[in-house]
């Protein structure tokens, strides 16, 4: 024990830790509770919503990982065009203008562009519909 600590308790206390701001999320990092992005890319209005633990990474062939019970929903509206991807567990539904299509190379190329264009920081989700 340091004898000075009996006379000067503050002397024995450790120096305060300087403030460090939180680290922003990495673009490919999973969000444990889910995330939401709503943004414009040119003439397109895009929404990405995740629930559970989901990783999005445009640099991989898979593009996303649902980590168990995670879900992913991506929609894009460009004029009269609409694209929508919904993924959960082993089910992937890819629609173009309401028609279900196989999630092939063209669909993956679209999703890669959407993921690359999304902002790093998620946006607040829209209010629930009443």
């Amino acid at each position: 024990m340091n004898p000075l600590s009996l006379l000067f308790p503050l002397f024995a206390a450790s120096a305060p830790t300087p403030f460090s701001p939180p680290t922003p999320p990495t673009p490919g990092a999973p969000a444990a509770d889910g995330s939401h992005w709503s943004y414009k890319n040119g003439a397109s209005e895009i929404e990405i919503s995740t629930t559970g633990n989901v990783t999005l990474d445009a640099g991989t062939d898979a593009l996303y990982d649902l980590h168990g019970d995670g879900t992913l929903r991506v929609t894009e509206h460009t004029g009269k065009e609409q694209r929508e991807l919904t993924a959960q567990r082993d089910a992937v539904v890819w629609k173009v203008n309401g028609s279900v299509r196989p999630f092939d190379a063209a669909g993956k190329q679209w999703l890669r562009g959407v993921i690359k264009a999304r902002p790093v920081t998620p946006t607040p989700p829209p209010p629930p519909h009443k």
Side-chain angles (χ1 to χ4, degrees), residues 86-130:
T86 306
Q88 61 187 52
R89 295 190 185 242
D90 296 330
V92 177
V93 178
W94 164 238
K95 294 181 184 179
V96 177
N97 296 326
S99 299
V100 177
R101 297 192 177 174
F103 189 57
D104 56 8
K108 287 183 178 183
Q109 181 180 357
W110 166 80
L111 183 59
R112 187 176 316 282
V114 166
I115 293 172
K116 283 182 178 180
R118 80 185 157 109
V120 172
T121 306
T123 55
H129 295 289
K130 293 183 179 184

Side-chain angles (χ1 to χ4, degrees), residues 37-63:
W37 291 266
S38 182
Y39 62 97
K40 290 189 176 204
N41 185 18
S44 297
E45 293 181 17
I46 300 169
E47 281 197 45
I48 303 173
S49 297
T50 66
T51 60
N53 193 350
V54 176
T55 302
L56 301 174
D57 189 351
T60 65
D61 288 337
L63 300 172

